[in-house]
Amino acid sequence: MQIGSLIARGSMLRLLTCLVPRSVSTVIPSERLWRSFLYVPGDQERKIKKVKRICNTTELSSSIPDLIVLDCEDAVSAENKALARKTIASSLQARDFERYRAHLLRGLSLRINAPSTGLAADDLYIVLSTAAETMKADGGIWPGPDYISIPKTESVADLHWVESQVMKIFQKHPIAPIPNLALIGMIESASSLMNMREICRDARETLKLPLVAMVFGSDDYCASLGITHSQSRQEALFARQYLVTMCKAYGLASLDMVETDLNTFRLNCDFGARLGYDGKQLIHPKQVEPANAAYAPSPERIEWATKVVEAAAAHTTLSSVSTSVDAKTADRSALDAGAFVFRGNMIDRPTVRQAERVTKESFELLMLLAIFVMMPCYFFHINTLFPAYSFTVVMWFQSPLKCYHGSLSLFFGPNNQK
């Protein structure tokens, strides 16, 4: 299968809807990148402005996070909760991250306090009602968060409670169309980890606001077990593997634990990527670039995956039309099992599926890059530039490996190892 044929996939084409004028964002929540999940304390206006300066750029950069999380919970002291709500609401009212979201197609999340604390209702009301009134006042796109991150998700009842609060807010502050909000659960205790199967299953069957990702809160999880973190992080390995397994089973994105040691951060990112995580929680802008690099496939990995997928397609065609095979070139039982030899190694169906996932990830990055280049034409209506941009995008589609060399490596991050 050629990389170009991936263009026909619906998930890729949905990203192109961002080029069409809309009153709210139409990016499908599950189609966003999840490599870097950066927390920003909601009560610290200076840090919010700093992240705004980093992200509101017209240049490609691997230091831009995939998601910004405006935090009302752990990063905010008890006496500053009200200040955090007010500061976040003011930032959204000023549309501080509009370019970051509309131009770069990145996401914004609000981390509320846990529903059990009694603080979450105010978090949701002040932030979402301000965003709704801003949208009604200026007629622009939805300025509020794309996601609600829910700490201490112990059961699907916590998700239902948040959903009901959101619906009440939009009933009191009606806007049209209602934004495509989605939920992010946070697993932070032994009991919530054991409840993950029911949470994921019931959320898929009963929620109107989709659950799209799960986050592993390692500090609170270890506290629930009465243990402390070691440098090796081995005490949390079972929980990390269990969470990512549940996420894969139910089609959710998975975000790995917070790391505070910058010296070992990249190694921990690489290990999380090998476990199957889609991204990592971050607490400092310096962590963004290594996270973006670790959770994106390398040029060598893409080249291997592309060739494997193409060889598998050719092999399938050959085996479907052949009634006999020369024993010197292939083993009949291997063909029947769907296995074949590639570059001296036996390739089976699970390996092909891994390769298909790598090509899909690389193409999602490529599509975002293509849209990034095409967006200035849309915003400024410079129609005469479309032929040049279109030609460039087509060339990228035909040769995706070129995206990882030269200046385009800025978008994906250098020295990827995944």
Side-chain angles (χ1 to χ4, degrees):
M1 180 177 64
Q2 298 291 331
I3 286 291
S5 67
L6 289 172
I7 298 174
R9 292 189 177 183
S11 62
M12 299 299 102
L13 291 179
R14 282 197 293 269
L15 291 174
L16 290 173
T17 61
C18 297
L19 295 175
V20 180
R22 305 281 181 178
S23 58
V24 295
S25 173
T26 58
V27 178
I28 308 301
S30 60
E31 298 298 340
R32 295 189 188 273
L33 298 174
W34 298 89
R35 299 168 300 172
S36 42
F37 195 76
L38 178 64
Y39 292 107
V40 183
D43 61 333
Q44 299 187 37
E45 184 178 7
R46 178 182 60 84
K47 291 186 177 180
I48 293 176
K49 296 297 184 184
K50 178 181 178 180
V51 172
K52 173 191 172 182
R53 288 194 300 272
I54 294 173
C55 296
N56 285 348
T57 178
T58 58
E59 298 181 0
L60 298 178
S61 172
S62 59
S63 62
I64 297 175
D66 289 337
L67 290 105
I68 294 172
V69 187
L70 300 176
D71 195 5
C72 289
E73 199 220 8
D74 281 351
V76 179
S77 62
E79 61 270 19
N80 281 351
K81 298 294 186 183
L83 175 61
R85 299 176 192 122
K86 180 180 178 180
T87 304
I88 292 172
S90 297
S91 177
L92 298 181
Q93 189 175 34
R95 298 185 176 274
D96 282 347
F97 296 98
E98 187 158 312
R99 177 181 291 274
Y100 167 79
R101 299 166 68 197
H103 196 174
L104 300 183
L105 304 184
R106 307 301 174 91
L108 193 66
S109 179
L110 170 69
R111 179 161 76 162
I112 61 175
N113 288 280
S116 59
T117 63
L119 301 171
D122 286 342
D123 297 339
L124 289 167
Y125 183 79
I126 292 175
V127 173
L128 296 186
S129 63
T130 300
E133 292 303 317
T134 300
M135 182 177 171
K136 287 197 294 184
D138 61 21
I141 64 173
W142 168 247
D146 304 293
Y147 307 96
I148 307 296
S149 297
I150 306 165
K152 316 296 189 295
T153 306
E154 292 289 331
S155 71
V156 74
D158 293 323
L159 305 180
H160 278 291
W161 181 86
V162 171
E163 181 181 69
S164 67
Q165 294 296 310
V166 171
M167 295 305 178
K168 289 177 182 177
I169 292 169
F170 287 139
Q171 288 173 0
K172 188 172 182 179
H173 300 270
I175 52 176
I178 294 177
N180 296 323
L181 293 184
L183 305 180
I184 298 174
M186 306 188 75
I187 302 301
E188 302 184 69
S189 69
S191 58
S192 62
L193 185 71
M194 292 297 98
N195 290 338
M196 264 201 76
R197 184 189 299 273
E198 289 74 23
I199 293 172
C200 295
R201 181 195 63 208
D202 294 347
R204 184 165 63 182
E205 295 175 354
T206 62
L207 284 175
K208 295 182 178 66
L209 298 182
L211 177 67
V212 295
M214 282 291 197
V215 173
F216 178 48
S218 61
D219 289 338
D220 286 308
Y221 170 78
C222 287
S224 75
L225 298 182
I227 60 177
T228 57
H229 271 311
S230 66
Q231 188 173 6
S232 68
R233 302 291 192 262
Q234 289 299 308
E235 63 282 342
L237 182 57
F238 166 74
R240 294 169 77 185
Q241 291 177 313
Y242 187 85
L243 185 143
V244 75
T245 300
M246 285 293 106
C247 287
K248 298 302 181 186
Y250 286 92
L252 305 177
S254 54
L255 294 159
D256 201 9
M257 57 196 288
V258 167
E259 301 283 352
T260 57
D261 188 347
L262 291 176
N263 294 323
T264 60
F265 180 77
R266 178 55 195 265
L267 292 176
N268 289 322
C269 283
D270 290 339
F271 183 68
R274 290 196 298 272
L275 288 178
Y277 278 88
D278 297 291
K280 196 165 187 66
Q281 301 170 82
L282 313 178
I283 57 174
H284 195 281
K286 289 184 179 179
Q287 295 177 324
V288 172
E289 188 166 347
N292 282 345
Y295 290 96
S298 67
E300 295 77 17
R301 182 72 168 167
I302 294 173
E303 190 272 339
W304 169 85
T306 302
K307 296 300 183 182
V308 166
V309 171
E310 292 175 353
H315 166 73
T316 301
T317 301
L318 175 64
S319 61
S320 65
V321 300
S322 299
T323 57
S324 63
V325 178
D326 188 345
K328 294 181 180 180
T329 59
D331 178 74
R332 184 68 243 178
S333 62
L335 284 175
D336 290 339
F340 60 96
V341 175
F342 175 76
R343 295 179 179 174
N345 296 309
M346 185 65 73
I347 303 296
D348 56 10
R349 288 307 306 168
T351 305
V352 174
R353 285 194 291 271
Q354 289 181 12
E356 289 173 341
R357 179 176 178 181
V358 171
T359 59
K360 181 177 183 293
E361 289 175 352
S362 65
F363 195 76
E364 286 174 349
L365 290 166
L366 180 58
M367 287 292 290
L368 289 174
L369 180 60
I371 292 172
F372 180 92
V373 174
M374 294 170 69
M375 282 298 245
C377 302
Y378 165 70
F379 281 131
F380 300 106
H381 304 287
I382 309 177
N383 296 325
T384 57
L385 292 181
F386 267 109
Y389 279 117
S390 299
F391 173 77
T392 305
V393 171
V394 169
M395 291 301 295
W396 285 335
F397 288 159
Q398 293 176 347
S399 185
L401 289 178
K402 292 181 180 179
C403 293
Y404 289 83
H405 299 284
S407 62
L408 298 183
S409 65
L410 291 173
F411 183 76
F412 301 100
N415 304 319
N416 297 334
Q417 300 297 322
K418 186 176 177 182

